[in-house]
Amino acid sequence: MGITQLILLVAITTGDLHDGDLLFLQSTGDNAITAVTTGVDSLPIDHVAVFHPMGGTPMVVEALPGVGVTVTPLSSFVTQGMIVVGRVGEYDVNRSIERVLRCVGLEYDQYYDAGNDAVYCSELVQQCYVDFDDNPVFEPIPMTFRDRSGNIPLSWVKHYAAIGRAVPEGEPGSNPGELSRRSNVSIIGLLESIDLP
């Protein structure tokens, strides 16, 4: 699981963001994702998006249930809750963003399966971010759907029963909370406000 970091979340604005920064969304309540993982400083992180200015307009690329991989104005994204900003170290930002943008339009991966053409939020980052030799920056981890007591929450049992699959405990994948704790992600602050062009 890694060592929990203790960070000071300083307030930052849009002007502090770099292309490719990761925007981690803190949940406002318990849900299926926060029941089985936490983010940096044990924050309840349940979503991640990629910051990318397009034509000077601050945008994010994100994978959303029922929508798929889409481009969202940052001004809309920030209304969803508190956003912790992470900056990835030593990666090819241009190639990584090209790969992210090629995913726009793909379906959301409700199976959380690395072996199909659909994509979930942290999978978008895990599969698209590469170094200067085109190697993945984020290796997959064994996924867990178990809560702190070691049980698989009923929400996950029902989800996989409804789609006719077994819970993929231990299969390779990713999750947004764990990505926020990676050693090659520096948490730079809390996005407090946006500066529109």
Side-chain angles (χ1 to χ4, degrees):
M1 294 291 291
I3 297 171
T4 301
Q5 299 177 37
L6 294 177
I7 56 171
L8 174 62
L9 290 176
V10 297
I12 62 173
T13 67
T14 310
D16 299 310
L17 297 178
H18 292 182
D19 195 9
D21 278 349
L22 302 180
L23 306 182
F24 296 102
L25 185 64
Q26 293 184 62
S27 173
T28 56
D30 292 334
N31 59 46
I33 294 171
T34 60
V36 299
T37 185
T38 59
V40 66
D41 273 359
S42 299
L43 294 173
I45 291 172
D46 65 357
H47 184 57
V48 62
V50 175
F51 175 73
H52 178 59
M54 296 178 131
T57 302
M59 305 293 276
V60 300
V61 183
E62 59 182 330
L64 296 169
V67 176
V69 181
T70 188
V71 178
T72 305
L74 181 63
S75 57
S76 298
F77 183 78
V78 298
T79 64
Q80 299 177 51
M82 302 292 280
I83 297 166
V84 175
V85 179
R87 183 158 296 149
V88 181
E90 299 300 317
Y91 79 110
D92 187 333
V93 63
N94 293 326
R95 187 176 297 169
S96 299
I97 292 296
E98 285 173 10
R99 291 166 60 106
V100 166
L101 292 174
R102 282 199 303 263
C103 291
V104 172
L106 293 179
E107 291 182 11
Y108 185 82
D109 187 0
Q110 65 176 330
Y111 303 110
Y112 302 95
D113 180 353
N116 62 24
D117 292 332
V119 180
Y120 58 93
C121 71
S122 58
E123 184 182 27
L124 178 67
V125 174
Q126 189 266 315
Q127 291 191 354
C128 292
Y129 277 56
V130 292
D131 65 18
F132 293 97
D133 293 320
D134 212 28
N135 298 311
V137 170
F138 299 109
E139 291 297 329
I141 59 163
M143 290 191 295
T144 184
F145 294 83
R146 296 188 183 279
D147 61 21
R148 287 151 196 83
S149 64
N151 299 313
I152 297 176
L154 186 58
S155 57
W156 285 117
V157 173
K158 286 182 175 179
H159 172 78
Y160 280 99
I163 58 180
R165 291 199 177 185
V167 177
E169 179 71 19
E171 292 297 313
S174 64
N175 69 66
E178 192 275 335
L179 276 181
S180 75
R181 300 193 316 266
R182 294 280 181 119
S183 61
N184 57 348
V185 174
S186 298
I187 301 301
I188 64 165
L190 186 67
L191 187 60
E192 289 269 309
S193 63
I194 59 172
D195 305 318
L196 296 176

